[in-house]
Amino acid sequence: MAEDIATKLKNYRTAPFDARFPNQNQTRNCFYNYLDYHRCQKSLGAKGEDLAPCDWYKRVYTSICPISWIQKWDDQREEGTFPGKI
């Protein structure tokens, strides 16, 4: 499975179609991939497992989200004011 993930990350170009977000506006897609990345890091990190599968979410949200949003959310997480449940 790790090989499959590594292959997908290597061949990654841009965010693939996600059926949860069929509309043209990708704001929600951006936000949920950001949440999924940090949830993945939290859950796999707590189990002591490899965090490589989480990289997929990071690559998706960094390709979709504006940098200013990511910086704002990172600052909010550090301050403890982030509105999402991670």
Side-chain angles (χ1 to χ4, degrees), residues 4 24 26 39 51 57 64 73 81 84:
D4 293 337
Q24 187 174 5
Q26 293 295 301
R39 288 175 181 159
L51 300 177
Y57 297 113
I64 295 175
W73 294 335
T81 60

Side-chain angles (χ1 to χ4, degrees), residues 43-70:
S43 66
L44 292 183
K47 295 176 186 176
E49 295 181 17
D50 182 26
L51 300 177
C54 302
D55 291 342
W56 174 257
Y57 297 113
K58 184 173 185 174
R59 292 185 81 171
V60 171
Y61 84 72
T62 54
S63 72
I64 295 175
C65 301
I67 295 170
S68 61
W69 292 5
I70 296 169

Side-chain angles (χ1 to χ4, degrees), residues 3 7 10-12 16-17 19 21 23 27 30-33 41 45 47-48 53 62 66 68 71-72 79 86:
E3 295 170 0
T7 304
K10 181 181 175 190
N11 296 329
Y12 181 82
F17 175 75
F21 311 103
N23 300 322
T27 303
C30 162
F31 184 71
Y32 280 107
N33 276 290
Q41 290 242 310
K47 295 176 186 176
T62 54
S68 61
Q71 291 171 343
K72 178 181 174 186
E79 295 168 0
I86 295 178

